[in-house]
Amino acid sequence: MSEKSDFKWGPATGVGSMPGGDAREAAKTVVGSFEGPETGIPFLAELPARGPGADMIGRTAGLLVDLYARVEPSGWRIGDRPGRDTKRARSWLGEDLDALEEFTQGYEGPLKVQAVGPWTLAAALELRNGEAALSDPGACRDLAGSLAEGLRAHLADVRRRVPGAQVVLQLDEPSLIAVLRGQVKTASEYRTHRSVDRQVVEGALRDVLGVAADVTGGPTVVHSCAPDVPFALLRRAGADAISFDFSLLTERDDDAIGEAVEGGVTLFAGVVPGVDGPLSDPAGSVMGVRTLWRRLGLNPGSLAESVVITPSCGLAGASPAYARTALAHCARAARSLADNPE
């Protein structure tokens, strides 16, 4: 049964990564900051400071089915069998899930989990010859299929651990624009891999996002903290929400954003800095969102339903104290937006 029909987004959330290496502390912070639909969407924290296997690529590589990766001096490389790096990635994910389960006892509401999307994974994972999987269309297909199967098991596990949750899948695709534009460098760094056809990109994303509908019936998010987010392509691929760094928007994005919102897509607006620094008052943080809405000629009353407030990107590079402050600030800024949409 689909959960989308009665799904209510929380007003704020985080992107995914958090500082430090203590899984229980991270889960406690995240769940304490966002306790459900009224305050925001708690999420499964990622702690890359622990090292290889806890990083974005290694963590997702650990989810793959019948494909394994190991760390080489040049990065993550696909291998024949699970080794120490795969086992470490799976162990840390298990630790994070245990911590999340502990702090979400009795929880009911949206709960977000993140994984690297098929195209950023293809740009980052190396084949045995040292070139990115992106160089081989067959490898890209295998990778997307393996990722889909891995996410199927992962989402089912999260749902079992937190039975009251409406599970949201977020795919992180920071390299998507580079893949579409042929800007991913070869191993020699003298050339770039050719661009991938937009329909092929869209199809793989649709297949992987479709796993969420099969397993949880819940909605999906695609996150990209790069400039020129392809809003129209992501909407066609089936993303229910698009997450981005608000400071990178230009007026060139207006038409695509307007069409996405009118098509029912929720915007995850990254307006709170992801690294330590002074924060404006909550109303000031969302001033740009109000301005965008006026520029697009959209109804201010729809702001609270159409926008979720987030940090501009992950918080792995922040101090623990700032990370806590930033998440709380997202919730306050979202409340300001809802109370005073104009």
Side-chain angles (χ1 to χ4, degrees):
M1 183 184 72
S2 174
E3 296 181 359
K4 287 187 186 181
S5 55
D6 60 351
F7 184 85
K8 182 182 178 184
W9 294 102
T13 191
V15 172
S17 66
M18 293 286 286
D22 188 326
R24 291 186 76 257
E25 187 60 34
K28 182 180 177 182
T29 297
V30 166
V31 177
S33 300
F34 305 122
E35 297 172 345
E38 299 308 314
T39 54
I41 307 170
F43 56 94
L44 177 62
E46 301 166 348
L47 302 172
R50 292 180 297 197
D55 62 299
M56 187 171 77
I57 299 300
R59 185 183 185 93
T60 299
L63 290 173
L64 297 175
V65 173
D66 295 332
L67 281 178
Y68 311 102
R70 64 178 186 272
V71 178
E72 297 284 342
S74 53
W76 284 89
R77 181 171 295 184
I78 294 171
D80 296 320
R81 57 187 179 275
R84 179 184 58 191
D85 299 320
T86 298
K87 291 171 184 171
R88 186 167 48 203
R90 291 175 177 174
S91 173
W92 273 329
L93 177 59
E95 189 179 303
D96 295 337
L97 285 165
D98 289 344
L100 182 72
E101 184 178 359
E102 177 185 347
F103 288 101
T104 51
Q105 293 295 310
Y107 173 79
E108 294 185 356
L111 174 67
K112 182 166 69 73
V113 298
Q114 307 81 218
V116 175
W119 295 107
T120 296
L121 206 56
L125 282 182
E126 298 174 357
L127 301 174
R128 291 175 182 81
N129 63 4
E131 289 295 349
L134 190 64
S135 64
D136 183 337
C140 290
R141 285 192 296 273
D142 291 346
L143 200 53
S146 175
L147 175 61
E149 287 308 304
L151 285 172
R152 195 177 296 278
H154 180 47
L155 293 173
D157 185 28
V158 174
R159 202 172 195 196
R160 179 183 57 78
R161 288 169 177 266
V162 193
Q166 294 170 300
V167 182
V168 177
L169 171 64
Q170 174 182 306
L171 294 182
D172 293 321
E173 282 284 14
S175 299
L176 184 60
I177 282 294
V179 168
L180 288 166
R181 292 181 175 172
Q183 295 171 338
V184 177
K185 289 187 175 181
T186 59
S188 70
E189 297 198 344
Y190 292 124
R191 296 185 300 111
T192 56
H193 295 289
R194 65 178 60 184
S195 60
V196 181
D197 182 86
R198 295 180 82 87
Q199 288 187 319
V200 174
V201 169
E202 187 182 317
L205 282 168
R206 185 182 298 108
D207 290 346
V208 177
L209 290 169
V211 170
D214 293 346
V215 178
T216 69
T220 55
V221 185
V222 177
H223 167 73
S224 174
C225 50
D228 301 322
V229 175
F231 289 93
L233 183 151
L234 296 176
R235 181 165 61 95
R236 290 194 305 271
D240 298 296
I242 299 171
S243 171
F244 55 94
D245 180 344
F246 194 86
S247 70
L248 299 179
L249 290 185
T250 69
E251 292 193 18
R252 291 197 313 271
D253 297 306
D254 281 6
D255 288 345
I257 292 174
E259 287 172 10
V261 172
E262 288 173 350
V265 172
T266 298
L267 304 181
F268 278 41
V271 298
V272 176
V275 292
D276 292 42
L279 293 170
S280 67
D281 64 284
S285 292
V286 292
M287 189 185 305
V289 180
R290 293 191 184 96
T291 302
L292 172 67
W293 233 244
R294 282 196 296 271
R295 208 164 64 224
L296 295 176
L298 296 170
N299 173 15
S302 69
L303 260 173
E305 298 171 3
S306 302
V307 175
V308 175
I309 298 301
T310 75
S312 57
C313 205
L315 293 168
S319 66
Y322 178 82
R324 287 191 295 273
T325 300
L327 294 181
H329 190 83
C330 287
R332 286 196 296 271
R335 207 154 44 237
S336 168
L337 196 62
D339 292 344
N340 299 293
E342 300 193 51

